[in-house]
Structures are given as C-alpha cells and as structure tokens.
Amino acid sequence: MSAVEINLEKKVILVTGASGGIGSKIVERSLSSGAWVVAFDLKDLAIEHGNLLPINGDVTNESDVKRCVDSALDKFGRIDVLVNNAGIVGKGRVEETSLGDWMKVLNTNLTGAFLFSKHTIPSLKESHGNIVNVSSTNGLTGGSHLSGAAYSCSKAAIIALTKNLARDLAADGVRVNCLAPGPV
C-alpha cells in the first residue's frame, strides 16, 4: 500500500522538531512532494536537499524562533504551512516530577508551539496558510506515569491551543488543525 501523494509544489513548510521520528518523515514527504522546507531543530538533520533550509535552534527561545521565521521569509518570501511538531516526553508520577522537569516538557511542547504560531501568523494570514499542531493520544486519555503528567497536560493544551487558533484565524483564511498520534 502506498501513501497518498500530495502536490506541495513550491509551498513553504516550516517544521519544528524536524530531526525526530515524525518530524524527519514530514520533512522528507514534503520535499518529495515539491515543497520548500524550513527544518528547525536543536539537532542537525540527516538529510540534504536543494529545497531544504535547515536551521538549528531551541523552540523555547523566542530569539531563535524569530531568527528562524525571519530566515524563512528572507529566503522564500512567505510561509504557507507551520507544523508545530517539536516535543519531548516526560516520565514519572506527579509526586516524582521536579518543577524543572515539568517546566522543560511544558515549555518545549506548548510554549514552542505558541511562539512559532505567534511569529508565523502574520505570514500565514497573507498566504491563507495552515497550522498543523502535533499533539498525542495522551492529550486525550491523560496518559500514564510512563510518559508523565507534564507530557499529557502539554499535549491536551496543544488541542486547546489548536481550537483557540482555529477560531481566531478562521476569518483570516488560516486553517488550524491538530494531529494526535499514538506511540511511534
């Protein structure tokens, strides 16, 4: 069985968490479908392509986020799709979780999506683009101590952020959707 082919010819897609399992596949499929891809991650990407603009940075650092968005706009002139995919998993029960671990997961998973949405919205309004937020089934079920409370809370908050953005941006022609994959 083959995947559905989508023509993304000359669409500019910004993907956060681009070097991870889901992120790297989004980057590869977007490139093979003709897109120009801005790939943002802390780590270097393992792929090279003429339509790829890799940018290293931290989704929790607003200066890094602004630098990424500015670089994308300088290179391609617009952003058509933002994929808020960056995320980390926590662990342990609530009483075992330090405040530092809690904040690291929430900042990466939720604040990163907030910052990238905030700084790409002006361009997305111009292109009548899309935001795709990656949540998790844990955001729907509450998860367990295996991935931790911070993870499930952050992924539930991504669903709420998606609903908020979808309502706020609908009149501007920007679609906002959320994916909630299970274990990958």
Side-chain angles (χ1 to χ4, degrees), residues 132-161:
V132 178
N133 291 324
V134 179
S135 178
S136 166
T137 55
N138 283 6
L140 300 167
T141 67
S144 72
H145 67 279
L146 297 176
S147 58
Y151 181 76
S152 59
C153 290
S154 69
K155 293 303 185 171
I158 287 291
I159 295 168
L161 178 64

Side-chain angles (χ1 to χ4, degrees), residues 39-62:
F40 186 84
D41 204 297
L42 284 168
K43 303 173 191 165
D44 291 332
L45 264 68
I47 59 174
E48 292 182 22
H49 192 284
N51 290 353
L52 178 66
L53 175 61
I55 299 175
N56 292 102
D58 182 346
V59 296
T60 69
N61 181 314
E62 192 164 14

